[in-house]
Structures are given as structure tokens and as C-alpha cells.
């Protein structure tokens, strides 16, 4: 529930409208839920991932456009992004993403990185961008999220591991290797 509430809270508290274009950077534990919520809210969703290997899944989850970013210097996406949820465990190449932001757009770094947030200020000032942090959703947002999730049949994609020493090790190895799709669950 925490991952869902994290991204749902951003979309709800920021008054994202169905006419908005929402970008989701990183299609993992948070990103795959963010795509579903934004799509079910009626938004046009652009999913960004390093490689093409998650394209089909992102489109099935509700993305209207998919962009593989590895080795690409500029992101050619057509219309700019109004709201950008950064759900990766690392800082993206901000120069590329700031270029695709709409004037007065909002950026939401919602995962914890071991590095400081370092964003070039010129574009942020010139486009009047907002950078909004969000971590813990209030109780009412959890209830709203549960209701919305049930209404729209939104489900996390999970991998199940046995709650044993071997299962925990296997789950952690997949997580460290970046191969978890998308939430790991230990089952007794």
C-alpha cells in the first residue's frame, strides 16, 4: 500500500487533471502503479525507462507513449510534460528531462536517493517549474486510494518468494540486480 499511496498522493494533492500530460520516469515498484493511476485519471501518460524491455508492459498498464532513454541525448516526445513523477532509485539526467517540461510544470522526486537533488537552476527559473517532494500520504489519501483502486481494478505486479532464508536471499538478489518486477512479496 505504501508504494501506491506515495504516487496516488502526488497525483491527488497536485490536482492533476485529465487534460494533463504526466511523465513517469522509471517503471518499477512505484512507476508501474503511477502509470495505472494517472491513466485511470484520464491523463495522457508518457513512460520513461532506460531500455525497451518494459515497453509492452508499460503500454498495457496505460501509458500512451513510451521512451527508452539509454544512449539518447534529447527526448523527442511531442507535447511537453505537465507533471513528472521521478520514481527511480537514482537521479535522472535532469538536463534531458527539464527540456521536455511544460512552462509552470511540476516535478515530483518520490524515491529516496543516496545523493542530493541537484537540478540546473536556469531552466527551472526560466520555465517557472515547481519541484515538490512527497513521502508519506495522510490516512484519508489511503482510503481514497483504496476506493479508486477497487473502482478501477488497479493491481500491483508482484513476484512472490518463500519466507525462508533462501527466499529472502533470492528476493534481495533480484532487487539489487534491478530485476524485480515490480513488487517483491515474501509469503509464508
Amino acid at each position: 500500500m505504501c508504494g501506491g499511496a506515495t504516487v496516488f498522493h502526488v497525483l491527488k494533492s497536485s490536482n492533476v487533471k485529465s487534460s494533463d500530460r504526466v511523465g513517469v520516469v522509471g517503471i518499477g515498484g512505484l512507476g508501474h502503479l503511477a502509470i495505472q493511476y494517472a491513466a485511470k485519471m484520464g491523463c495522457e501518460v508518457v513512460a520513461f525507462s532506460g531500455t525497451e524491455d518494459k515497453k509492452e508492459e508499460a503500454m498495457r498498464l496505460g501509458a500512451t507513449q513510451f521512451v527508452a532513454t539509454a544512449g539518447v541525448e534529447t527526448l523527442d516526445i511531442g507535447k511537453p510534460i505537465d507533471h513528472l513523477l521521478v520514481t527511480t532509485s537514482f537521479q535522472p539526467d535532469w538536463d534531458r528531462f527539464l527540456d521536455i517540461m511544460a512552462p509552470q510544470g511540476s516535478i515530483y522526486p518520490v524515491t529516496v536517493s543516496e545523493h542530493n537533488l541537484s537540478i540546473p537552476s536556469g531552466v527551472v527559473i526560466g520555465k517557472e517549474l515547481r519541484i515538490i517532494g512527497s513521502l508519506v500520504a495522510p490516512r484519508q489519501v489511503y482510503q481514497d486510494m483504496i476506493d479508486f483502486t477497487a473502482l478501477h481494478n488497479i493491481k500491483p505486479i508482484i513476484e512472490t518468494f518463500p519466507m525462508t532464508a533462501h527466499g529472502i536471499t533470492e528476493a534481495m538478489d533480484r532487487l539489487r540486480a534491478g530485476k524485480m518486477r515490480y513488487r517483491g512479496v515474501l509469503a509464508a
Side-chain angles (χ1 to χ4, degrees):
M1 287 198 6
C2 179
T6 297
V7 294
F8 185 83
H9 180 50
V10 165
L11 296 167
K12 183 174 169 62
S13 68
S14 301
N15 297 317
V16 172
K17 301 179 296 301
S18 61
S19 59
D20 288 339
R21 192 160 151 102
V22 174
V24 178
V25 182
I27 306 168
L30 295 175
H32 88 286
L33 293 167
I35 291 168
Q36 291 179 76
Y37 284 126
K40 293 298 184 181
M41 290 176 176
C43 299
E44 186 177 343
V45 181
V46 182
F48 298 93
S49 188
T51 63
E52 294 276 336
D53 71 326
K54 295 181 180 176
K55 180 177 182 174
E56 273 187 44
E57 217 155 30
M59 301 305 277
R60 254 193 331 271
L61 293 170
T64 50
Q65 186 176 357
F66 180 91
V67 179
T69 59
V72 177
E73 294 207 18
T74 58
L75 301 174
D76 183 16
I77 63 162
K79 291 178 6 191
I81 300 292
D82 300 299
H83 300 275
L84 184 69
L85 284 78
V86 180
T87 68
T88 57
S89 59
F90 55 87
Q91 298 297 316
D93 179 347
W94 287 112
D95 289 323
R96 289 189 296 174
F97 285 98
L98 294 179
D99 282 347
I100 62 170
M101 293 299 298
Q104 297 186 344
S106 299
I107 299 169
Y108 312 91
V110 295
T111 54
V112 178
S113 169
E114 62 187 57
H115 302 290
N116 288 334
L117 186 62
S118 180
I119 297 179
S121 61
V123 178
V124 172
I125 294 166
K127 287 188 174 184
E128 299 179 2
L129 299 176
R130 293 180 273 299
I131 301 167
I132 303 166
S134 180
L135 185 60
V136 179
R139 176 187 274 175
Q140 185 58 48
V141 170
Y142 273 86
Q143 187 59 56
D144 294 345
M145 176 199 66
I146 290 168
D147 294 343
F148 189 88
T149 300
L151 178 67
H152 295 286
N153 198 31
I154 293 172
K155 295 184 176 156
I157 297 172
I158 64 168
E159 286 188 57
T160 305
F161 302 89
M163 193 178 294
T164 62
H166 175 72
I168 293 168
T169 301
E170 183 184 0
M172 293 307 294
D173 288 347
R174 284 189 61 74
L175 184 64
R176 284 187 200 101
K179 297 190 184 289
M180 186 75 69
R181 293 259 175 119
Y182 289 101
R183 308 295 291 180
V185 176
L186 296 171

